[in-house]
Amino acid sequence: MDLTVVAYVIYLLISVALTIWVARTLSRNGKVFLADVLHGNEKLADAVNHLLVVGFYLVNLGFVTLYLKSSEKVADARGLFDALSVKVGVVLLVLGVMHLGNVYVLNKIRRRGLMEREQTPPVPPQGWTGPGTGPWAAPATKV
């Protein structure tokens, strides 16, 4: 069997396994973060989490598939490891960039939600105090 085909098979096995592992890890650990971003709405957080995982799989597995072809023929074991190290390394970098992009966008959404929550007072206003009244007003003088 040609070593180039062996390199393709090993690359696909490693890349798909890494993509699945990263997606599951991000999905499992991202549920709490998404629930906070979405103000405790668990059903919406689960739905968004699932959509993010599907998008993650589509983008990363699409990249893995497009990056499969190699222009050089693998002649020996050293060439096999060289080809695999470059390909798997690029896949790992893409997975990392995708993860950081997701975290960045979700953090922006979370910060916007926190700022909106801070703008509403914790207790609704109970009335209006006109000028010259209240505990800080100067005492009235008699003429």
Side-chain angles (χ1 to χ4, degrees):
M1 181 183 281
D2 187 15
L3 281 179
T4 305
V5 174
V6 172
Y8 287 164
V9 170
I10 293 171
Y11 162 74
L12 282 174
L13 290 174
I14 292 172
S15 298
V16 170
L18 283 171
T19 299
I20 291 170
W21 175 72
V22 170
R24 286 185 178 173
T25 302
L26 294 176
S27 172
R28 187 179 338 107
N29 296 321
K31 283 183 182 180
V32 175
F33 186 75
L34 279 172
D36 182 47
V37 168
L38 300 171
H39 311 293
N41 189 342
E42 293 290 331
K43 285 185 94 171
L44 183 59
D46 285 341
V48 170
N49 193 22
H50 185 71
L51 291 172
L52 286 172
V53 168
V54 169
F56 187 83
Y57 278 132
L58 290 172
V59 170
N60 285 299
L61 293 176
F63 174 77
V64 164
T65 305
L66 287 173
Y67 197 61
L68 176 67
K69 187 175 180 180
S70 178
S71 60
E72 299 175 15
K73 182 176 168 122
V74 178
D76 55 2
R78 180 178 177 199
L80 178 72
F81 282 105
D82 286 345
L84 284 175
S85 67
V86 170
K87 289 197 171 290
V88 171
V90 170
V91 168
L92 288 171
L93 288 173
V94 168
L95 286 170
V97 167
M98 288 287 296
H99 168 63
L100 291 176
N102 279 340
V103 170
Y104 177 77
V105 169
L106 290 174
N107 194 36
K108 284 287 197 185
I109 294 169
R110 182 175 173 262
R111 282 189 177 189
R112 183 179 303 149
L114 287 175
M115 289 188 65
E116 288 174 1
R117 280 186 240 162
E118 288 177 3
Q119 290 179 354
T120 55
V123 177
Q126 298 170 354
W128 174 261
T129 305
T133 60
W136 57 86
T141 56
K142 293 184 181 180
V143 181

